[in-house]
Amino acid sequence: MEFLVSSGIINSYFRKLNDSLRTDVAVVGGGPSGLLAAALLAEKGYSVNLYEKSLAPGGGMWGGAMMFTSILIERNAASIAEESGMILAPGERGNYVVDSVQATAALINRACCSGVRIFNCISVEDLTFDRNEEVNGVVINWFPVLQKGLMVDPLMTGAKAVLDATGHPAEIATGLARKNGVKLSTASGGVAGERSLNVELGERNTVEFTCEVYPGLFVSGMSACAVGGGYRMGPVFGGMLLSGSKVADLIVKRIERKQL
Ligand code: 48F
């Protein structure tokens, strides 16, 4: 029996890993924008890998604000929140309050049920390029390996589009610009860096700056804000959902363009 437990786990994990080696979309980071984008793309029939370096996906959504487990969703994002399974309670000025734990669990559940392959404890440490210098995949390693600073080479996965949804550090776009000296599609051609807090502008910036920042590489959520030079917005999450939804549409357009 003990042997069967182990072989069941190993066989199913290796099947998942093997199936993931060439995918339509690689999402880096399992915060709200990455989870929603992944779910929407999988629901449209695309194959999606989501890499999350922590044990649990969810990013900065679990903790609410200062660990008060409530967050605000603006009314223009209420329908996405509701269709994702979040339980909305009426808040101030027509906006909504949701329990951050329930909301995060709902997004993870939507991603899992739509067929997204979630790889937790795996970090994306770099990107791969094709002959035209377009991004065509990710370089992955166990996050504990990187944390310990062990000298272990990574593995690679091919993807038609990569999404940097790594939140405030915008790790992937920042690494791409730093290592390769390439120009991003931002005003300065580089990573502008996140500004201080303004709820209204931050929410708007998050959606505005969601884009294909380099051929094959997209940014969403706080990563989009940091790359484009937008404001942070604190415990307000409507912009993250709208950004996830916008980037899913942009990624579909790229994949369709590439298939012509
Ligand atoms: O920061 P995060 O929640 O992403 P988001 O979708 O949402 C931001 C909000 O939660 C909040 C906010 C709203 O007011 O400001 O912060 O922009 O989640 C990012 C996830 O990416 C993971 C990280 O552990 C987190 O769960 N991550 C970061 N770098 C990597 C990564 C990496 N290199 N590989 C894999 N996962």
Side-chain angles (χ1 to χ4, degrees):
M1 182 59 192
E2 286 75 11
F3 157 80
L4 290 178
V5 171
S6 301
S7 76
I9 290 168
I10 290 168
N11 289 338
S12 99
Y13 193 85
F14 275 82
R15 204 174 312 123
K16 175 175 153 185
L17 196 59
N18 201 38
D19 289 349
S20 76
L21 293 180
R22 294 183 75 180
T23 188
D24 290 324
V25 188
V27 176
V28 191
S33 69
L35 281 168
L36 181 71
L40 292 171
L41 287 159
E43 283 165 13
K44 287 190 163 77
Y46 295 99
S47 72
V48 184
N49 299 348
L50 185 150
Y51 301 98
E52 168 52 56
K53 66 183 180 183
S54 303
L55 190 52
M61 204 173 186
W62 294 109
M66 238 181 84
M67 296 191 205
F68 299 166
T69 50
S70 291
I71 52 177
L72 198 116
I73 305 269
E74 302 92 316
R75 56 177 169 234
N76 60 347
S79 59
I80 304 179
E82 212 154 28
E83 75 189 28
S84 298
M86 296 183 197
I87 301 167
L88 275 63
E92 311 276 326
R93 297 194 194 174
N95 297 312
Y96 296 88
V97 176
V98 297
D99 180 285
S100 64
V101 174
Q102 192 276 327
T104 312
L107 277 183
I108 296 170
N109 187 54
R110 182 171 184 180
C112 290
C113 291
S114 60
V116 175
R117 296 185 202 94
I118 297 186
F119 293 97
N120 59 340
C121 299
I122 293 185
S123 188
V124 171
E125 58 169 74
D126 209 342
L127 294 166
T128 61
F129 286 118
D130 67 12
R131 280 200 200 100
N132 303 319
E133 300 241 331
E134 296 197 1
V135 169
N136 74 345
V138 291
V139 178
I140 57 173
N141 212 331
W142 297 113
F143 182 54
V145 163
L146 300 176
Q147 256 184 328
K148 285 266 177 206
L150 304 181
M151 291 173 73
V152 178
D153 264 321
L155 285 172
M156 293 72 68
T157 292
K160 295 174 186 156
V162 175
L163 171 60
D164 178 344
T166 61
H168 298 263
E171 276 185 35
I172 307 304
T174 304
L176 171 76
R178 178 176 44 81
K179 283 182 136 178
N180 303 287
V182 296
K183 272 199 155 198
L184 304 180
S185 63
T186 58
S188 66
V191 174
E194 183 185 300
R195 301 190 63 180
S196 296
L197 195 150
N198 180 310
V199 169
E200 270 179 40
L201 292 179
E203 285 291 86
R204 212 179 305 150
N205 292 159
T206 304
V207 184
E208 261 167 29
F209 294 145
T210 296
C211 67
E212 184 170 7
V213 78
Y214 183 82
L217 179 67
F218 295 76
V219 283
S220 68
M222 280 319 298
S223 179
C225 239
V227 168
Y231 289 88
R232 65 182 296 208
M233 76 297 295
V236 182
F237 281 76
M240 296 302 139
L241 301 182
L242 295 170
S243 168
S245 168
K246 177 178 173 184
V247 85
D249 289 342
L250 295 175
I251 289 173
V252 167
K253 285 198 186 109
R254 172 177 169 86
I255 296 177
E256 282 175 352
R257 220 168 46 233
K258 288 298 238 185
Q259 275 163 353
L260 288 178

